[in-house]
Amino acid sequence: MGVGTVFRDDLRNARRSKIVVGVVGVFTLLSTLIFVSEINIFDDAVRSLFDLTALVAFLFPLFVASLTYLAVAGDRARGSIKYVLGLPNERWEYALGKYLSRGVVAVTAVLGATLVGFVVGEVAFTNGADPERFLTFGLVSSLYALSLTGVFVGLSAMTASRSRAMFAAIGAFFVLVPFWNNLLPVLQVGTVIDFAETLFGITVSEETRLTIAGLSPSTAYLSATAPVFEGAGDQYEVVRAVIGGDTGSLADELWFNLLVLVGWGGGVPLVGYLRFRRAELG
Amino acid sequence: MAAIETRDLTRRFGETVAVDGVSLTVDQGEAFGFLGPNGAGKSTTISVLLGFLRPTAGEARVLGRDAVDASAAVRSRVGLLPEGYEPYANLTGREHVRSAVRTKGTDDDPDAVLDRVGLDPADARRPAGDYSKGMQQRLFLGIALVGSPDLLILDEPSSGLDPTGVGLLRELVAEEVDRGATVFFSSHDLDEVERVCDRVGIMRGGELVAVNAVEDLRSELGMGSVVEATLAEPPASVPLADVDGVSDYETDGRVVRVQCTEPPAKMRALAALDAVAVVQDVGLEEPSLETVFEQYTGGADEGAEAVDPRDEPTESAAGASAESAATGGE
């Protein structure tokens, strides 16, 4: 009863929010731009879907963060939480209701982008959109969206103010995306492993390095989308380079990728709830 | 079973003691005023009663249940008008009430609830984020009333209300008490408390410095009534020195002002005056609750000198900083 009411209220509140509609709208627009701008560059819609994958993997977390970082912390800062928890809701019902509603918003955003891509791909590309590949992409991306939502809502549940929630979200984005994907010089997970090797006098095998690299939700998501492009995007060098061959590490296994996504999506909210359960709300 | 019972309830924030050993019993069916200047520890106490904060020491029971361990069960029988809240900006007032009805599992009609608190039907269908403070207070008063709770906890309920709203609040409290509900009315609006509450408790610096009926608090402080008798002509003598319960008197021409420490002393003083002169008119001055309040709390939030009947002087300012720490956020 409590979860459903919290979920409905939060979703309704979000749906009517100009900011939420704006964030989802901008993401959909960017996704549309990818497909529209590549109509005359590539023959295959699946090639543009590959570029959408990059957008989802690297930039979508920022969109999800903006949609979710105040889920709990904002209510605490504003005092709206006194409305919900002044009623006979348990704290877990409140936290779960928030997670689900924000998850629905994030999944809606990524599925909307996928749908727009499918329509543009089907209508305007020489080799149109393959429903099965787009559906697979949509499902994996939805899981990624839920995983990210869990991370940011979980962090929000650990913080009591807007500023701390914002710093936590930015920090999580930096670690899970640029840092873990080696997008920045020096500040990379690989550098940390190098440092650990020097410090402890150990050698980390390439396979272990790849497995560690695959532990971020963004890297796991990228690997998990590989089946979408198998046999379809192989003629494109960049696609081959990213989905790559079998390196023998766990990071290449689909089950491992999905487990990583589920782990982040379940683990951080659990820790967040355990903190929130005993949080001082006065 | 008491509606609210705290025993040595203490809540610290670091070195600051926001609530200091408060033992309080509020009986079922009474309207209890919880008074104190800003920072006295009122809201912190309420937060503990609702399970928002854990006590550092001591115990709080609400409707017979432990306020911490059985928080949700307690809240299912409590109606809360909190302080320092915001509604969901994009939900209408009606949607807020409807969710409260759903969560409490009752069959209240949201429109009837909103009508009862005087929220216009057109306003009830507007986003609550556009509401004035007074409209928000009415909305949350309505939410508090959902499910005919056994206990209403109203934290500064008249804040932001116009005079009509204050009158409505008074009526609602009376109706709820008539229904059998307990009303716990936290406020520094002293007149309001005096009008609606049977008993009051006064907080200062985190301590509960007084609990009693307003009349008894006056007596406790020796702040009884003043009887002003206008005589036909200036009296040759005033035979009041030996009248029981008369603490002082003064004569100004035909007017005699008599300070009485207990209610029966008023008639005894008048009878004594009537024996030596013709009493043409009688006036009565009762010290307001505000005067009582000022005597107990030092009269200001800044920790001015205060009367403490238990002779345990504490600084109000310490309490003020304590509650700031409790509610000030990040």
Side-chain angles (χ1 to χ4, degrees), chain A residues 181-206:
Chain A
N181 282 280
N182 301 332
L183 298 182
L184 298 172
V186 184
L187 294 172
Q188 305 177 347
V189 69
T191 315
V192 173
I193 297 173
D194 292 343
F195 180 70
E197 283 183 323
T198 310
L199 190 66
F200 300 111
I202 55 171
T203 305
V204 179
S205 70
E206 189 59 24

Side-chain angles (χ1 to χ4, degrees), chain A residues 1 9 82 87 164 280, chain B residues 11 75 83 99 102 330:
Chain A
M1 185 67 191
D9 282 354
K82 291 183 180 175
L87 297 170
R164 285 186 186 182
E280 306 276 39
Chain B
R11 174 63 215 207
R75 284 180 278 122
E83 197 202 14
S99 291
R102 278 189 185 141
E330 303 293 316

Side-chain angles (χ1 to χ4, degrees), chain B residues 3-325:
Chain B
I4 295 172
E5 189 171 17
T6 69
R7 205 159 41 215
D8 298 326
L9 185 67
T10 299
R11 174 63 215 207
R12 293 191 192 90
F13 295 95
E15 295 297 309
T16 310
V17 184
V19 176
D20 190 1
V22 169
S23 295
L24 169 70
T25 301
V26 177
D27 296 325
Q28 289 196 37
E30 74 170 321
F32 187 89
F34 198 46
L35 282 168
N38 293 334
K42 305 189 300 294
S43 291
T44 302
T45 304
I46 289 176
S47 290
V48 172
L49 295 178
L50 293 164
F52 293 168
L53 293 175
R54 289 169 179 272
T56 309
E59 187 186 22
R61 298 185 75 79
V62 179
L63 299 168
R65 309 288 295 270
D66 187 276
V68 175
D69 296 338
S71 175
V74 164
R75 284 180 278 122
S76 69
R77 295 171 61 196
V78 169
L80 168 68
L81 171 60
E83 197 202 14
Y85 64 86
E86 269 185 35
Y88 280 119
N90 301 314
L91 297 188
T92 68
R94 191 177 185 283
E95 286 167 341
H96 279 85
V97 175
R98 196 177 58 190
S99 291
V101 170
R102 278 189 185 141
T103 307
K104 285 198 161 183
T106 67
D107 57 359
D108 295 66
D109 174 4
D111 295 319
V113 171
L114 291 164
D115 182 58
R116 195 175 169 206
V117 294
L119 203 58
D120 185 79
D123 289 332
R125 285 167 172 74
R126 285 201 293 129
D130 296 343
Y131 285 7
S132 66
K133 173 68 178 165
M135 289 163 72
Q136 287 184 4
Q137 284 291 86
R138 285 174 187 257
L139 168 61
F140 273 74
L141 188 57
I143 291 168
L145 294 172
V146 167
S148 302
D150 296 329
L151 169 64
L152 274 166
I153 295 180
L154 310 178
D155 198 355
E156 301 286 354
S158 50
S159 168
L161 288 177
D162 57 20
T164 314
V166 171
L168 178 75
L169 170 68
R170 204 178 302 146
E171 283 173 28
L172 288 171
V173 169
E175 286 170 14
E176 291 298 298
V177 171
D178 286 347
R179 177 174 67 75
T182 309
V183 177
F184 189 73
F185 194 108
S186 165
S187 180
H188 56 242
D189 188 337
L190 311 168
D191 286 342
E192 203 54 45
V193 169
E194 190 166 18
R195 284 168 193 262
V196 302
C197 294
D198 309 317
R199 291 195 305 147
V200 297
I202 297 179
M203 293 283 287
R204 178 168 66 90
E207 295 186 38
L208 188 64
V209 292
V211 181
N212 220 325
V214 176
E215 186 56 46
D216 293 337
L217 286 177
R218 289 187 182 109
S219 302
E220 214 170 280
L221 288 175
M223 299 175 62
S225 315
V226 173
V227 176
E228 189 176 276
T230 305
L231 308 179
E233 53 191 50
S237 64
V238 181
L240 295 175
D242 297 327
V243 177
D244 278 353
V246 171
S247 59
D248 195 13
Y249 66 89
E250 62 183 30
T251 307
D252 182 8
R254 295 188 297 128
V255 177
V256 182
R257 288 170 55 83
V258 188
Q259 185 87 36
C260 302
T261 57
E262 56 185 17
K266 286 180 273 191
M267 276 310 297
R268 288 198 291 267
L270 283 173
L273 287 172
D274 198 43
V276 297
V278 176
V279 178
Q280 288 186 326
D281 195 9
V282 175
L284 188 62
E285 289 175 22
E286 297 278 5
S288 68
L289 181 57
E290 187 155 3
T291 314
V292 177
F293 180 72
E294 284 175 1
Q295 287 292 310
Y296 273 105
T297 63
D301 298 352
E302 268 48 69
E305 287 299 315
V307 172
D308 189 332
R310 300 181 307 171
D311 200 25
E312 292 174 4
T314 53
E315 290 295 321
S316 296
S321 60
E323 197 155 4
S324 298

